[in-house]
Every structure is written in structure tokens, then in C-alpha cells.
Amino acid sequence: MIASPLIRALDRGALVFLAIVAGAAVIVPALNLLLPVSSPFHVPTYLVALFGKYVCYALLALSIDLIWGYCGILSLGHGAFFALGGYAMGMYLMRQIGTRGVYAHPVLPDFMVFLNWPELPVFWYGFQHFPYALLMVILAPGLLAFVFGWFAFRSRVTGVYLSIITQAMTFALMLGFFRNNFGFGGNNGLTDFKDILGFNVQAQGTRAALFAMSCAALALGFIICRALVTSKFGKVLVAIRDAESRTRFLGYRVESYKLFVFTLSACMAGVAGALYVPQVGIINPGEFAPGNSIEAVIWVAVGGRGTLVGAALGAVVVNYAKTVFTSGPLAPYWLFMLGALFILVTLLLPKGIIGTFNAWWEQRKATQVSANAVSADREDGVGEPNPAE
């Protein structure tokens, strides 16, 4: 009963995407761990971490495409859920440092000792346990999204107004996390991580394992999204996107559908943030910056809104371009280039890379089917008579 919807959801394109992700999860760590450094096919450890960051961004873009591409909810604050998941993982990693910190305090993180905190705050309790941290990775962004969505959707806030409110939410969180008395490291954030599950977070094998876990999370998130959008539930989401008032008049509880998918999307973003932190080695309030959320929306637009695969592709393509252009003389102009890219995609490729390709492919198939039908009619002698005869 459960396998049948999954089989229907995984078409040829979805299977190709999953095969690529699975191949990357195996090949990249293998090339990093099994081949000597002198080999031309060896993948350096820093590239493994960089690829892992791209995969986390792809999962974040997938979560945005779920709500924007299929339900019409344009969130300009999804970076907040990404950062909350990252902070939950960062708190666990900080609790693992113990006496190996600069001040060698067995309980308090270094920044708390520096700021003369007398004891560990209550909201830090339990983060020394990995299962509790995993729970908070999902619960913290999910709870925020549920509370925010409950008030926003019940008040029927939609369109640009909802986008502005989500942007204000992440900006308010950024200001709060910048404060030293907030208990999250202030401007410097959380860093200097040592271990994760007893393994050195900087070790080559750990980096490879984190990359493989990120790929697995991306594949699982993609399967969940595909199963959702290809079901009857997904058809209602598309109806809400295209004609919300008409869907409500048909008797559907639009607010409940939007609240569920918004909360699920936030949980996915939190998981992406949690996998991101140990690979980059830091989490600070800059991750809450509204510009990061806007940039993530651009990834989805470039790849193709409402395609899922396109969202992941857009995240990888844009961030690869960012890596290339921000390390040379064009670095000061990257934001201008990003804005120009968004404008060009909007004008020339409004459906994004994958959306445009899908439209071209469908048109090509339709033309081919029409040509085959005409050819078959002529062979059967049922074509149009030749006037010359």
C-alpha cells in the first residue's frame, strides 16, 4: 500500500536524479579515501566539504520549491529555519568540546566563560546528547513555522505581504542572535568544533561520511516531496497555488494544507542547516540575513520553480558560480551578477533551466507523435487525397 504511491511518484526523471545523488554519495568519498593524493582522480578533502555544502543548499532549495513552486507561498525568510537547525547542531557540537576548549571549562562553552556566565542556560540542557539535538534540529524550525503559519494563514495573509513578514521574521531573529546575552555566541556564533559522535569533525573520514549523509538526506527529502506533490494532496496544493479562493469555496481547508506544507518545508530546511554546520565548521547570526533567504529563492527560480529537480540543480549551479566568481577580481561585483542572473532568467527563461527543458521536450515529443501519426495514416491510405490525382 505504501510502495504504490512511491512507485507512481518516481518517474524516469526522478530516478535519474536519485541515481546521480546516490552515485555522488559513493564516488566522491571513494575518490577521497581510497586514492592517493598523487592520483589525478583524487578528490581533496576541502572539495568534499565544499560539495557537501552544495548538497545542503540543494536540500534547502528543495524545501523552498515545495511551498513556492507547488503551493504559491513565497517565503523570503527560509534562511531562519536553516539557521535554527544549524544552531541546534552547533549547540550539540559545542557541548562535545568539554575541557578541550580555550578555557578548559567542563560544561560552559568558551564564549560563556569569556562573558562570565555563571552557569549553563536552561535551553542548553540536553544538547550533550545527540538524539536530543536531532529532535531539536526538527522541532525548533518546525515549531516556529507552525506558530508563524498558524497566525499568518488564519489571517489569510498572502502574496507579497506574507513574503515581507517572513523577511521581517528572519531579520528580527538575526538581531536577537547578534546579542551576547541571547546565549548563542553573539556576533561570533558557535565554532571551534571538535567531535561529532566521537569522531574528529575535521578528519578526512568524517568529512566523507558527512557528505554521504547529506546526499542521503537530499535523496530522502526529494522522495518525500515527490510522493507529496504527485498525490491527491499535491493536486490540492497546486489548486491553492493557482486559485486559492476557488479552492476554499470548494470546501477545502486551505489554511490547514498551507500550514502543513509550510511546517514540513521548515523541518527540511532545519535538517539542511544541521548538516551544513559540521562541514563548514561555524554557525553565526549571518545565516539569518534576509539576503541569504532571497538568494535561496533565486536558486529555485534559476533551476525551475515547481520541478524539484530544478531547485536542487539551481542551488548547485548558482553556488558553484559564486565559488568561482567570489575568489577572483569579480568578487566585489558578485551581488550585481546575481541580480542580473535573476533578471535574465525571469525575462528569458521564466520557467528556469529544468522547466524550459521540460517544455521543449514535451513539444518535441508532441511533434514526433504527430509526425508518426501522419506517416501511419499515409501508409494505411487514409491520408488526405492528392489534388493532382
Side-chain angles (χ1 to χ4, degrees):
M1 296 295 291
I2 298 177
S4 180
L6 289 178
I7 293 175
R8 291 197 302 267
L10 300 179
D11 57 8
R12 182 180 300 177
L15 291 175
V16 170
F17 174 79
L18 291 175
I20 293 174
V21 174
V26 175
I27 295 174
V28 171
L31 295 179
N32 173 250
L33 297 173
L34 301 180
L35 296 182
V37 179
S38 58
S39 173
F41 299 102
H42 174 76
V43 177
T45 302
Y46 79 91
L47 280 183
V48 175
L50 181 63
F51 294 158
K53 186 173 72 170
Y54 291 166
V55 173
C56 294
Y57 285 153
L59 182 57
L60 173 62
L62 202 67
S63 69
I64 295 176
D65 193 28
L66 178 63
I67 58 172
W68 185 34
Y70 291 92
C71 196
I73 303 173
L74 177 56
S75 172
L76 296 182
H78 243 54
F81 308 125
F82 180 84
L84 285 176
Y87 265 97
M89 179 56 67
M91 292 167 74
Y92 162 77
L93 295 172
M94 292 296 290
R95 293 298 307 273
Q96 303 305 302
I97 297 176
T99 56
R100 291 172 295 175
V102 175
Y103 298 99
H105 196 285
V107 177
L108 294 182
D110 284 338
F111 74 88
M112 290 187 182
V113 178
F114 178 78
L115 295 173
N116 296 319
W117 285 65
E119 58 184 1
L120 194 70
V122 175
F123 52 84
W124 276 76
Y125 289 174
F127 276 97
Q128 69 272 26
H129 304 296
F130 188 72
Y132 180 81
L134 285 184
L135 177 63
M136 290 298 106
V137 163
I138 298 175
L139 186 61
L143 183 61
L144 175 62
F146 181 84
V147 174
F148 176 87
W150 175 269
F151 290 103
F153 299 140
R154 283 176 62 88
S155 302
R156 299 188 180 181
V157 179
T158 58
V160 66
Y161 301 104
L162 180 65
S163 301
I164 293 173
I165 292 176
T166 56
Q167 194 172 40
M169 174 191 68
T170 188
F171 186 72
L173 286 170
M174 182 185 69
L175 294 179
F177 274 75
F178 264 120
R179 297 177 60 89
N180 287 327
N181 60 0
F182 218 57
F184 295 101
N187 181 55
N188 295 322
L190 309 178
T191 187
D192 194 29
F193 307 135
K194 306 294 185 183
D195 296 334
I196 179 169
L197 292 175
F199 297 96
N200 185 354
V201 74
Q202 300 292 336
Q204 183 180 11
T206 306
R207 291 296 182 92
L210 287 170
F211 173 80
M213 291 174 59
S214 300
C215 290
L218 176 61
L220 179 60
F222 178 78
I223 292 173
I224 292 174
C225 290
R226 280 291 302 177
L228 197 65
V229 301
T230 56
S231 64
K232 294 181 180 178
F233 185 92
K235 298 183 186 306
V236 177
L237 292 182
V238 174
I240 294 172
R241 179 195 68 187
D242 296 338
E244 181 175 335
S245 298
R246 183 174 297 180
T247 306
R248 182 178 287 108
F249 292 153
L250 289 174
Y252 290 98
R253 295 178 61 88
V254 171
E255 294 77 15
S256 299
Y257 281 86
K258 295 172 73 172
L259 181 60
F260 172 79
V261 74
F262 188 72
T263 304
L264 174 62
S265 175
C267 293
M268 291 175 57
V271 172
L275 290 167
Y276 169 85
V277 167
Q279 298 185 83
V280 300
I282 188 173
I283 177 70
N284 59 39
E287 297 296 337
F288 286 100
N292 291 348
S293 299
I294 297 174
E295 188 174 332
V297 171
I298 295 177
W299 305 340
V300 178
V302 170
R305 172 190 171 193
T307 61
L308 295 181
V309 174
L313 177 64
V316 174
V317 169
V318 175
N319 280 284
Y320 175 76
K322 183 178 181 179
T323 301
V324 173
F325 290 112
T326 55
S327 59
L330 296 176
Y333 309 102
W334 163 247
L335 291 179
F336 298 100
M337 296 170 61
L338 185 64
L341 175 64
F342 182 65
I343 294 173
L344 290 175
V345 168
T346 302
L347 295 177
L348 304 178
L349 296 175
K351 296 181 180 180
I353 298 174
I354 296 297
T356 303
F357 174 81
N358 289 340
W360 171 81
W361 184 255
E362 291 297 328
Q363 183 179 5
R364 182 176 181 273
K365 287 199 302 183
T367 303
Q368 187 175 10
V369 169
S370 177
N372 291 338
V374 171
S375 177
D377 288 344
R378 288 175 178 173
E379 291 178 0
D380 294 339
V382 296
E384 293 184 359
N386 191 341
E389 297 177 354

